[in-house]
Amino acid sequence: MVKIVLDTAQDVAAQVAKIYVKQLKDKPDSVLGLATGSTPVALYGQLVKKYQAGEIDFSKARSFNLDEYYPMKADHPQSYHYFMKEHLFDKVNFASSSIPSGEAKDPKAECKRYDKEIEDAGGIDVMLLGIGHNGHVGFNEPAVTYSMGTGFVDLSDSSISANKRYFSADEVQPTKAITMGIGDIFRSRKIILIITGENKAKIAKKLFENQIHTDVPACFLLLHPDVTVYLDKDAASLI
Ligand code: GLP
């Protein structure tokens, strides 16, 4: 696992955006795994800017998002579908963009369908990840066992309370999600993990203890041959 510490979250976004420029130059039909949450927002802003400046072209690229709440309508302002449209998909030109459906009647069948779609696309070239305070990646929460493929999961209390800020008092906040599994993430050829902000310093420290804590899902990344973790100074302050 390679660690790169930059001054600010904006610096991280700018640096990671350059990797995507190179990736799409080298392989225009790349399959990109994408994440939601506040962490990648700055990166998506950079990618939009670069697209508008003609520096990057997504027209042959496909994307697969990590997760979606369940149940969740795609047009709900707190859905990850909505988030991705707002921050990226409505502003750049992906050939196709896929996200697990929070509206599927049979969520377990949706998990299988999603995995097949990823497999049919040839797997993920570059997987972008953020990390939860409890070490979750996608919505793979700390657990005794981890799903290899896309799974229909319960959110932890930690994730529910961390994401509470996005839901208004009269909205029912989902307690379940459909998420790519640890296996899906692990099969990605290259993984970029972004950790920014002082409130992620503790989990960043845990990750860099260089031990597999089985209750920290992101620790599985320590075993992957091509993971680069980009941190800002605040997130790296305890390492
Ligand atoms: C969310 C998402 C994750 C994300 C994480 C951290 O709930 N499911 O993919 O990485 O929690 O979010 P943030 O970047 O807002 O801290």
Side-chain angles (χ1 to χ4, degrees):
M1 202 160 74
V2 176
K3 177 182 70 180
I4 297 179
V5 181
L6 299 169
D7 274 351
T8 67
Q10 272 307 328
D11 294 338
V12 168
Q15 179 105 342
V16 174
K18 286 185 199 159
I19 295 173
Y20 283 92
V21 172
K22 182 169 184 324
Q23 174 72 28
L24 291 184
K25 233 175 225 155
D26 294 349
K27 188 179 179 197
D29 60 349
S30 290
V31 179
L32 305 180
L34 299 176
T36 48
S38 52
T39 306
V41 170
L43 168 64
Y44 295 156
Q46 289 282 335
L47 292 179
V48 169
K49 260 196 207 158
K50 289 194 181 294
Y51 170 71
Q52 286 166 349
E55 290 172 45
I56 190 167
D57 174 30
F58 298 89
S59 64
K60 293 192 169 61
R62 301 183 61 174
S63 75
F64 286 92
N65 262 76
L66 276 166
D67 48 13
E68 178 58 284
Y69 291 113
Y70 190 93
M72 181 55 90
K73 286 201 163 22
D75 61 0
H76 188 289
Q78 295 315 327
S79 77
Y80 287 166
H81 281 76
Y82 193 98
F83 174 99
M84 290 307 299
K85 273 167 80 74
E86 187 183 11
H87 291 286
L88 196 62
F89 297 156
D90 279 352
K91 298 173 177 169
V92 302
N93 60 340
F94 272 103
S96 74
S97 297
S98 303
I99 304 181
S101 171
E103 300 183 57
K105 281 215 176 78
D106 179 348
K108 287 194 177 152
E110 172 61 5
C111 295
K112 279 199 186 139
R113 188 204 63 75
Y114 199 60
D115 273 340
K116 169 113 183 22
E117 202 186 337
I118 296 172
E119 200 188 316
D120 290 349
I124 292 168
D125 291 303
V126 184
M127 182 78 236
L128 176 69
L129 297 176
I131 188 170
H133 295 106
N134 59 2
H136 76 236
V137 283
F139 268 131
N140 294 279
E141 302 280 16
V144 177
T145 58
Y146 293 96
S147 170
M148 285 296 287
T150 297
F152 180 44
V153 298
D154 290 316
L155 304 185
S156 67
D157 292 343
S158 155
S159 299
I160 292 170
S161 76
N163 290 333
K164 210 180 197 118
R165 63 198 150 129
Y166 297 117
F167 291 85
S168 60
D170 58 335
E171 275 172 337
V172 181
Q173 188 183 349
T175 58
K176 289 179 179 285
I178 294 177
T179 180
M180 276 189 206
I182 293 289
D184 295 301
I185 294 168
F186 208 82
R187 276 191 293 274
S188 307
R189 290 178 265 284
K190 179 185 184 68
I191 297 175
I192 296 172
L193 168 60
I194 301 182
I195 314 181
T196 53
E198 206 184 339
N199 64 354
K200 296 282 172 73
K202 270 196 193 152
I203 192 65
K205 178 175 184 277
K206 192 108 183 171
L207 193 58
F208 282 98
E209 276 169 9
N210 242 1
Q211 290 179 338
I212 306 282
H213 297 276
T214 51
D215 60 345
V216 178
C219 276
F220 288 104
L221 299 175
L222 288 162
L223 300 168
H224 190 281
D226 188 351
V227 180
T228 309
V229 187
Y230 289 86
L231 306 104
D232 66 358
K233 272 194 171 155
D234 292 339
S237 59
L238 301 176
I239 298 170

